[in-house]
Amino acid sequence: AQVRLIISNKKTAGVLEKAAAHQVPTLLITRETFYKTENILEDLKTHEIDYLVLAGFLWLMPAYLVKQYPERIVNIHPALLPKYGGKGMYGMNVHRAVHAAKEKESGMSIHLVNEKYDDGALLFQAKCKIDSADPPEIIAKKVLALEHQYYPEIIEQLIQRSL
């Protein structure tokens, strides 16, 4: 797998600096162009993009992208879906909710993306134990470690299966 294009809706996203350091092209998008046009499809075609791998992208996928990339848009979620998924459930919001519910475990989910938040088919989940004394920040660190460990591996497996 190769990273051929980084797309962001945030000018200050740290990934843009990493992309520049590795000479990976970038594309900054606006909500208006993302939802009201299909211009992004031309950029994806130009860069020969086969999969869209999301990380920290919080916008809902428009139908035209889901149609163009069926079962080839992947996202990572900092909880064990279907719990703690859906609109507004991202980042520390998730970890605060897990903590408030006094869960004994948390984890991460890797899933395909459709036109609904956190609704696509699950590809993989990994769990971690959490203690009632763990604040949301510690839960976040435990889950992030799982994300870093498994996301690249699962993406590679997904791509290998399609070859």
Side-chain angles (χ1 to χ4, degrees):
Q2 291 179 309
V3 177
R4 293 189 178 166
L5 178 66
I6 298 290
I7 301 172
S8 179
N9 62 309
K10 294 186 178 186
K11 295 178 192 175
T12 58
V15 71
L16 298 174
E17 289 178 22
K18 289 180 180 180
H22 293 283
Q23 293 82 44
V24 174
T26 61
L27 175 65
L28 196 59
I29 60 171
T30 65
R31 186 175 288 277
E32 184 171 330
T33 59
F34 190 62
Y35 289 111
K36 294 186 178 178
T37 74
E38 295 183 11
N39 296 348
I40 196 171
L41 291 175
E42 191 59 40
D43 291 295
L44 297 172
K45 183 179 178 183
T46 298
H47 292 281
E48 300 176 329
I49 304 302
D50 296 319
Y51 285 85
L52 304 180
V53 179
L54 309 180
F57 189 74
L58 303 178
W59 293 353
L60 205 56
M61 275 300 120
Y64 73 87
L65 268 176
V66 174
K67 182 179 178 185
Q68 189 68 32
Y69 287 87
E71 298 187 6
R72 292 183 292 138
I73 306 174
V74 185
N75 195 17
I76 191 164
H77 186 77
L80 298 170
L81 292 173
K83 281 182 147 183
Y84 309 106
K87 188 173 175 75
M89 292 307 278
Y90 60 87
M92 289 304 293
N93 294 349
V94 171
H95 306 304
R96 287 185 198 104
V98 168
H99 176 75
K102 299 181 183 350
E103 296 283 359
K104 301 221 182 291
E105 65 183 9
S106 190
M108 51 77 77
S109 300
I110 299 171
H111 63 94
L112 295 175
V113 173
N114 61 24
E115 297 169 41
K116 298 176 186 173
Y117 286 112
D118 304 321
D119 184 63
L122 283 172
L123 298 175
F124 179 83
Q125 290 184 310
K127 299 176 183 180
C128 59
K129 298 280 185 212
I130 53 176
D131 187 89
S132 60
D134 288 345
E137 294 78 14
I138 296 299
I139 297 169
K141 286 181 182 180
K142 289 179 178 182
V143 170
L144 185 62
L146 294 173
E147 291 176 348
H148 287 176
Q149 178 181 355
Y150 291 108
Y151 204 25
E153 180 182 319
I154 299 304
I155 296 303
E156 185 173 341
Q157 288 175 14
L158 179 66
I159 292 168
Q160 289 297 321
R161 281 196 301 254
S162 70
L163 295 179

